[in-house]
Structures are given as structure tokens and as C-alpha cells.
Amino acid sequence: MTKPIVAIPADIRSFDGATWHAVQHQYLRAALNASGVMAFIIPAFEESYDTDAILDRVDGLLVSGSASNVHPSLYGAEANDKDGPFDPARDATSLPLIRRAIDRAIPLLAICRGIQELNVALGGSLASEIQEQPGIWDHRRPEGIDRDGMYAIRQTVHVKEGSCIAGILGPGEIRVNSLHRQAIARTAPRLQVEAVAEDGTVEAVSVIDAKAFAVGVQWHPEYWAETDKSSNQLFAAFGDAVRAYAAAKLPVSPAAVDRVTAQRRRATRPAGR
């Protein structure tokens, strides 16, 4: 059986004077090995984008984390130096894909920057440098250690009973690896808060009126998706939703293709022949 395919919007990166469309390896690996799906990297362009042309060809949307942040102008705020770095092409690609995937009931999993894009796409706002706010912990990644140490599972979040994620991970406390300096400020009207950190920071949401799996998490389940139980369960649930969507698509038979081809030939045949 052919594996279903998920789209992953790319970041814009510059290496050796050239511009690259890139996605971190761990997201692609988690999609393949924990969700059991294939992934297509979607290039990031600021214009001339056909969102439906992309979504017509995939069975899910995985919106990854990134070193860049959503531009504040997209949620009605002024940008300052602390809010960056920015990636306008990523914004212009991801936000329309998120909105359209929800409209079309295409399964969606949004991670880190992805949950922030999901919130902004549906009308919410973000808070910058949250560690400077009274009562909020420092959620930034620790410095001076290797990547495994940086992404170590060290924080506790509380999953709300009756939530979508509780149906996957169970309600109550779980341990996660949440690394960020921005977070949801005003939750979009169409989002339900699913999990919070001990300081009240929003760590997971779901789309209230979604007709398919549509979840965002602030932590990084992709990093330990093959070894950590909760991370694996989240990606496995996304994979199940993607396979269900792919299976529900109406197959196009060879006979149907032949009929359409014949109709097109008749329509373009010169008169009198």
C-alpha cells in the first residue's frame, strides 16, 4: 500500500550566498518513522502561490518549528528588534495552508512556530520574550550543551481532561521538551486550549470546529518521536488521521480517466469532423 503524503512548509535559509528552502531533519524523520507517512517539503514563496494545488496532492499538513518568528504585523502589532528573526516567505506560505487545510478537513499537526502560526492564522496574537513577564518561567533553550541536552524532556505540562490531546495522551501531567521565547497571548476564537505549563503558558491547542485532526503543540515531540512514549503517541495519532483521510479519497478508475480524456478530445475536435 502506498504511504500517504504530508506537506511541510519550508523555511528560507541562506548558505554560502545561496537561498535554500529547508526543513529540519527531525521533522521529516518523525513523519516517516513515527507517523508512517511520506513528507513533501513545500517551498516558501511570498506570492503566486496556489494553496489548493498543494493540498490537492497531499493527505496532511505538518507545520514545523523554526528559529524564525511570525511577523507581528500579521496579528496587529508593531515589530521591534526583539521579535525577530522573521521569515516573511514562511508566513506567506504556512498561514494560507493552515486555514485552507482546516476548511478542507485535511489533518493538521502544528509544532512550536507551527502552533503560533495556527493561532495567528485563526485570529489570535502572540507575546514576545515571555520570560520577562511576571510569574512566567524561562522557557528558552539552555545554552552551552549539545542538541540532545537542549531538547531534553524536562518540563511538566497539564493536559486538560476531555480535550482532544487527552484522548491521545490521557489527561493530567506529562513531561515535554518545550523551548520557546514567544507564546500565545490572545487565543484565537476557533482554538481550544488543550494543555498549559505550570506557569499558565499555553502549550497545546486544538481547532474547535475542525472536521479532522487539527492540533498544535508548543513543545517538540518530533525530536524524541521514536523513543518517548507521549511524543510517539502524538505522531502516531496524526499518522492515523492522515491515513484515514487518504483512504476516504474517492479512487479514480482507469475507465473514468478514459471517459474524461474522450470528452476533452470531442470538445476540442474541429467542427464537421
Side-chain angles (χ1 to χ4, degrees):
M1 179 179 176
T2 302
K3 290 182 186 290
I5 297 167
V6 301
I8 305 183
D11 300 324
I12 294 294
R13 291 286 183 265
S14 294
F15 302 107
D16 296 327
T19 299
W20 296 70
H21 297 257
V23 172
Q24 290 187 54
H25 173 71
Q26 63 260 32
Y27 293 97
L28 303 169
R29 182 183 176 96
L32 179 64
N33 294 335
S35 293
V37 302
M38 297 300 296
F40 284 176
I41 298 175
I42 306 303
F45 293 113
E46 292 186 66
E47 56 186 14
S48 302
Y49 223 88
D50 190 338
T51 300
D52 279 315
I54 296 167
L55 296 177
D56 285 346
R57 291 161 172 80
V58 300
D59 309 297
L61 178 63
L62 174 58
V63 190
S64 71
S66 174
S68 66
N69 293 321
V70 179
H71 198 279
S73 63
L74 295 170
Y75 49 90
E78 293 288 334
N80 60 54
D81 292 341
K82 281 188 173 183
D83 295 327
F86 302 121
D87 187 344
R90 163 76 184 250
D91 294 339
T93 303
S94 292
L95 269 64
L97 281 170
I98 288 169
R99 286 189 285 260
R100 196 71 184 112
I102 294 169
D103 290 344
R104 293 180 53 164
I106 295 174
L108 163 69
L109 176 59
I111 296 172
C112 192
R113 187 195 210 269
I115 189 178
Q116 296 170 13
E117 289 172 301
L118 172 59
N119 189 54
V120 171
L122 299 182
S125 66
L126 304 177
S128 298
E129 306 301 334
I130 59 171
Q131 71 279 354
E132 297 176 1
Q133 298 182 10
I136 301 299
W137 297 356
D138 192 342
H139 292 252
R140 293 174 297 179
R141 65 186 188 184
E143 300 293 339
I145 56 178
D146 63 15
R147 287 186 68 80
D148 283 358
M150 187 184 303
Y151 284 88
I153 295 171
R154 61 169 63 86
Q155 298 102 331
T156 298
V157 301
H158 181 81
V159 178
K160 296 187 177 182
E161 189 169 356
S163 65
C164 176
I165 291 182
I168 301 168
L169 308 180
E173 292 185 352
I174 60 169
R175 300 278 286 175
V176 301
N177 51 349
S178 190
L179 308 170
H180 57 106
R181 59 188 179 87
Q182 287 195 320
I184 289 176
R186 184 183 69 255
T187 305
R190 294 176 64 188
L191 294 184
Q192 169 179 281
V193 175
E194 299 257 316
V196 295
E198 292 180 289
D199 61 1
T201 301
V202 174
E203 289 285 340
V205 297
S206 66
V207 181
I208 295 168
D209 56 352
K211 296 179 175 62
F213 184 101
V215 167
V217 296
Q218 186 61 70
W219 66 87
H220 286 274
E222 81 288 345
Y223 200 86
W224 304 107
E226 296 174 63
T227 57
D228 173 64
K229 181 180 178 181
S230 295
S231 299
N232 184 268
Q233 287 174 322
L234 190 57
F235 266 92
F238 176 58
D240 288 344
V242 171
R243 280 183 289 276
Y245 177 86
K249 286 183 176 179
L250 293 176
V252 179
S253 68
V257 173
D258 290 343
R259 286 196 298 272
V260 171
T261 301
Q263 289 169 356
R264 287 176 176 171
R265 285 174 178 167
R266 287 195 296 270
T268 58
R269 186 178 300 163
R273 298 186 66 181

